Amino acid sequence: METAAQAAPAAPATGPAVIVAIDGPSGTGKSSTSRAVAARLGMSFLDTGAQYRAMTWWMTGNGVDVSDPSAVAALARKPAIVSGTDPKAPTITVDGADASGPIRTPEVTANVSAVSAVPEVREVITGLQRSIAASAPHGIVVEGRDIGTTVLPDADVKIFLTASAEARAARRSGELGATTGAAVAATKEALIQRDAADSTRKASPLAKAADATEIDTTDLTLAQVIDRIVALVEEKRAAK
Ligand SMILES: Nc1ncnc2c1ncn2[C@@H]1O[C@H](COP(=O)(O)OP(=O)(O)O)[C@@H](O)[C@H]1O
Ligand SMILES: Nc1ccn([C@@H]2O[C@H](COP(=O)(O)OP(=O)(O)O)[C@@H](O)[C@H]2O)c(=O)n1
């Protein structure tokens, strides 16, 4: 029986299966770009941040003190986190329950960096990510923070997205409905703090792989970023 973790997009493959790793800080466009690239090329898509958010939601929902790494580590293998990888309709469940809404709450966002810094959490989730990537029949676009450096160091295409803190805060504020100057400033501050925590943790920090192509999306439209990455993937497919 096919599980949600194995469900592949229906679109036909148009070339050899390639693995694409897209990393970068918050609000650089990883999720929207990755989904669109995968949909256009008939590939699977995996949002690894959603997996860390799902782990965090389970921890807070089960009364675990997320500021205590040993408490988080002890329970890291408990939740069953399953990702559906169709870019047109990605899903995430925890112990069979739909987690797609609850993982986006401010509470989860505020706690996710602490949970994702725990090595045992990373070990469990990295294992899930590698098995999902290995079983994607038409290749996969995997987006996160450490995909090109740690999870899939042999990826065929590695991209590192960047953008100014101002642009990223404006994008996030748009999503959250923050319109006042103070709300945008608070969003920017929270985003900078989360990036700092993600970049300075010991276990597999947010980092650009030495062989990744960096794309600064500050002054590019979403469509332009998608086109650039599609071109890089098609080039790689043609050479395979
Ligand atoms: N190049 C871009 N220009 C303008 N807005 C963008 C661009 N890329 C993404 N966005 C928007 O910014 C927001 C955050 O993008 P998202 O893909 O969630 O970023 P990330 O996954 O890196 O956190 C979304 O509302 C998205 O539509
Ligand atoms: N490969 C990854 C992906 C996400 N994460 C963690 O998960 C959090 C949420 O990731 P996300 O991609 O949903 O974040 P945003 O889309 O809100 O920027 C990050 O802030 C990291 O703490 C990680 O540690 N490693």
Side-chain angles (χ1 to χ4, degrees):
M1 195 185 81
E2 190 177 59
T3 66
Q6 293 160 336
T14 54
V18 292
I19 304 273
V20 180
I22 302 189
D23 292 301
S26 184
T28 51
K30 297 180 301 298
S31 296
S32 26
T33 310
S34 300
R35 270 185 77 171
V37 169
R40 203 190 288 179
L41 297 176
M43 298 167 71
S44 298
F45 157 73
L46 180 63
D47 174 353
T48 65
Q51 296 175 302
Y52 287 100
R53 287 172 174 275
M55 179 69 83
T56 305
W57 177 57
W58 186 90
M59 292 285 168
T60 52
N62 284 277
V64 179
D65 175 4
V66 297
S67 67
D68 177 359
S70 60
V72 172
L75 293 170
R77 290 186 186 277
K78 284 273 180 193
I81 299 172
V82 177
S83 305
T85 58
D86 181 344
K88 297 201 174 87
T91 57
I92 184 141
T93 62
V94 181
D95 297 336
D98 178 12
S100 51
I103 63 169
R104 305 287 163 196
T105 61
E107 189 198 5
V108 169
T109 302
N111 289 312
V112 65
S113 290
V115 171
S116 71
V118 176
E120 288 79 359
V121 165
R122 301 206 73 81
E123 197 185 312
V124 169
I125 292 184
T126 298
L128 288 177
Q129 292 161 354
R130 288 182 177 146
S131 81
I132 291 169
S135 63
H138 310 310
I140 189 165
V141 183
V142 183
E143 59 98 353
R145 303 292 190 286
D146 63 338
I147 310 307
T149 53
T150 305
V151 179
L152 301 166
D154 297 328
D156 299 289
V157 178
K158 294 184 190 179
I159 309 288
F160 194 80
L161 297 183
T162 62
S164 71
E166 288 69 29
R168 298 189 291 118
R171 292 173 189 172
R172 275 275 172 268
S173 300
E175 284 181 327
L176 299 170
T179 46
T180 64
V184 175
T187 302
K188 183 176 162 192
E189 193 48 42
L191 185 140
I192 288 170
Q193 274 179 20
R194 186 149 59 91
D195 289 343
D198 292 341
S199 305
T200 55
R201 69 179 175 226
K202 278 212 183 84
S204 202
L206 160 65
K208 175 179 177 289
D211 53 350
T213 300
E214 184 167 328
I215 302 177
D216 183 344
T217 71
T218 308
D219 297 318
L220 298 175
T221 64
L222 185 52
Q224 287 173 321
V225 183
I226 295 164
D227 285 347
R228 277 197 196 185
I229 298 176
V230 164
L232 288 170
V233 177
E234 283 182 329
E235 204 178 295
K236 187 54 96 170
R237 274 178 164 177
K240 258 200 152 190

